[in-house]
Amino acid sequence: MTSESVTEGHPDKIADQIADAILDDILSKDPHARVACEVLVTTGLVCIVGEITTECYSEFSKIARNTILEIGYDDPEYGFEGNTCAVMVSIDEQSPDIARGVNVGGAGDQGMMFGFAVRETQQLMPAPIMLAHGLVRRLAEARKTRILPFLRPDGKSQVTLEYEDNRPVRADSVIVSCQHAPDVKPQELEEAVREEVIKRVVPASLLDARTRYFINPTGRFVTGGPVADAGMSGRKIIVDTYGGWGHHGGGSFSGKDPTKVDRSASYMARYIAKNIVAAGLADKCEVHLAYAIGVAEPVCLKVDTFGTGRLDNGALLALIGEMFDLTPTGIIEHLKLRRPIYRQTAAYGHFGRQEPGFTWELTDRAEELRERAGLKGPVPGPVGF
């Protein structure tokens, strides 16, 4: 199985972070604001568009510039720099036809959402996506702390793991593409990235003589960021979720307030799936929700344990229905989603994070699930590395 991730300096992730930084700023002043913000970045230009209904004032241009500078685009040599790029803003209010359904507690749109968990890592996430995220986070750390001073903000990773009996046993290939200064020699970069990035993230138990390494496979990655590739919010939905494991409903997260079930119901589905696996009710679990615009209760609720469940799916569905409020209002209140917590989610994945604010990663319902299911004995631990 292969999963990829991208750095915070990747053009699409720049856009996601700007969108969520705007959302956070507005929610910090108006927790009940309606925000649907989309962002495009390209050479010297940021475009901010969408529908926002709020009583507060938000300095969109300033937020965009600060976000770009914090990511690391602070030098005109990069061709895209926070102080000098142009920022265009075109924002309207939310359609009153949509608002009339949301105002009474209904979903902000129709759609389908999925949550997934697997007993494969400590975070109950698939191993390939967690390793891919780890590699690009380490790239950013090595750049910002000057461990590898030749690195620049853009970059990608990809990890292919070999499995036996549903357990990751070795890394077949590891790919790291990282933007760099023009004067660094390819051999110097390759050796530094292998030692300071790959070997510090991928467990030695997964690396062997047959593991293939691809570090900047074209041999050069000087031109990067929005100069090399235009970025848009919402284009890295698989990076944001489970790296290709499970299903995806298609809706993106960043720039959307929690009345948009694309975001909030996906968080809730992950929360339920993770608690089911944490409770030992299954080794792998996917929860599927679907909503109609303006309607509070989901029109679809499905659970699949892929043959690993200690209960049948019907019994699990009954437990979910008893224990979890799946209305948009119930989800928002339980997960405390009307807070400025979203900028941090916009890079390195929305799931598998053990950081403040990620309420959907808690396993605080696992014990109750286990008791109601009548399970006895210890909960099995992760089966991965």
Side-chain angles (χ1 to χ4, degrees):
M1 183 64 187
T2 301
S3 294
E4 71 158 347
S5 187
V6 299
T7 65
E8 62 200 68
H10 184 281
D12 293 334
K13 279 291 141 199
I14 298 171
D16 282 339
Q17 289 168 92
I18 293 171
D20 271 339
I22 289 171
L23 173 63
D24 277 357
D25 183 67
I26 292 173
L27 289 179
S28 70
K29 305 165 187 173
D30 180 5
H32 294 274
R34 306 282 168 74
V35 181
C37 179
E38 306 290 350
V39 177
L40 177 146
V41 296
T42 187
T43 306
L45 176 64
V46 177
C47 296
I48 301 169
V49 301
E51 297 79 43
I52 297 176
T53 302
T54 181
E55 297 297 324
C56 75
Y57 174 71
S58 184
E59 297 183 83
F60 299 134
S61 295
K62 182 178 179 180
I63 293 168
R65 294 183 190 281
N66 287 343
T67 302
I68 293 164
L69 292 170
E70 290 168 8
I71 290 168
Y73 288 98
D74 54 5
D75 189 333
E77 182 184 353
Y78 300 165
F80 183 81
E81 193 262 341
N83 288 313
T84 58
C85 65
V87 181
M88 297 177 58
V89 179
S90 179
I91 297 291
D92 292 315
E93 290 187 335
Q94 183 181 66
S95 162
D97 297 337
I98 297 174
R100 69 195 301 263
V102 180
N103 290 343
V104 296
D109 201 353
Q110 70 177 41
M112 50 189 171
M113 303 86 206
F114 294 88
F116 183 79
V118 61
R119 193 179 305 284
E120 191 169 292
T121 60
Q122 292 292 336
Q123 300 86 359
L124 302 185
M125 286 282 288
I129 188 64
M130 294 306 297
L131 291 175
H133 286 325
L135 289 169
V136 289
R137 293 192 84 156
R138 177 59 181 170
L139 277 178
E141 179 186 15
R143 169 175 60 88
K144 292 177 179 180
T145 59
R146 308 293 292 172
I147 293 172
L148 301 180
F150 52 80
L151 291 179
R152 291 181 174 179
D154 199 359
K156 288 185 171 183
S157 68
Q158 187 168 288
V159 177
T160 301
L161 295 185
E162 183 179 318
Y163 282 71
E164 290 180 4
D165 298 323
N166 294 315
R167 182 178 181 271
V169 295
R170 63 176 298 270
D172 180 78
S173 64
V174 180
I175 305 172
V176 176
S177 295
C178 49
Q179 187 186 12
H180 58 85
D183 56 350
V184 65
K185 296 179 181 178
Q187 184 177 353
E188 177 189 355
L189 181 146
E190 183 171 339
E191 290 177 357
V193 169
R194 186 180 296 203
E195 294 299 318
E196 293 294 338
V197 178
I198 295 174
K199 288 187 177 180
R200 289 179 176 269
V201 172
V202 182
S205 60
L206 294 180
L207 302 174
D208 59 29
R210 294 184 295 126
T211 300
R212 297 173 294 164
Y213 300 92
F214 301 91
I215 300 171
N216 283 7
T218 68
R220 181 177 170 88
F221 188 1
V222 173
T223 303
V227 174
D229 185 14
M232 292 183 66
S233 53
R235 287 207 303 195
K236 287 292 178 282
I237 58 176
I238 301 302
V239 170
D240 285 342
T241 51
Y242 308 103
W245 289 76
H247 294 89
H248 197 295
S252 63
F253 302 154
S254 291
K256 297 178 180 178
D257 76 81
T259 66
K260 280 71 174 176
V261 284
D262 277 339
R263 180 169 224 159
S264 55
S266 294
Y267 289 176
M268 191 63 168
R270 162 64 177 172
Y271 177 65
I272 296 170
K274 186 175 183 181
N275 274 271
I276 286 172
V277 173
L281 303 187
D283 292 332
K284 184 186 296 186
C285 181
E286 182 179 77
V287 174
H288 170 35
L289 297 168
Y291 291 82
I293 187 168
V295 178
E297 294 289 344
V299 297
C300 176
L301 169 60
K302 179 186 175 185
V303 63
D304 188 352
T305 58
F306 306 94
T308 70
R310 276 65 173 179
L311 302 178
D312 64 42
N313 289 342
L316 274 179
L317 281 174
L319 277 178
I320 293 170
E322 293 170 7
M323 292 181 55
F324 299 95
D325 185 344
L326 300 178
T327 66
T329 299
I331 293 171
I332 290 168
E333 291 179 354
H334 186 78
L335 297 181
K336 301 178 175 62
L337 298 181
R338 293 195 188 276
R339 299 179 295 152
I341 56 173
Y342 297 105
R343 163 71 194 280
Q344 63 183 337
T345 70
Y348 312 121
H350 293 245
F351 307 120
R353 307 277 291 271
Q354 309 298 317
E355 301 157 44
F358 288 78
T359 52
W360 49 94
E361 289 298 311
L362 298 175
T363 54
D364 54 345
R365 306 302 297 279
E367 185 176 347
E368 184 182 355
L369 276 165
R370 192 170 175 81
E371 288 176 355
R372 291 198 183 200
L375 293 189
K376 306 292 183 182
V379 178
V383 298
F385 52 84

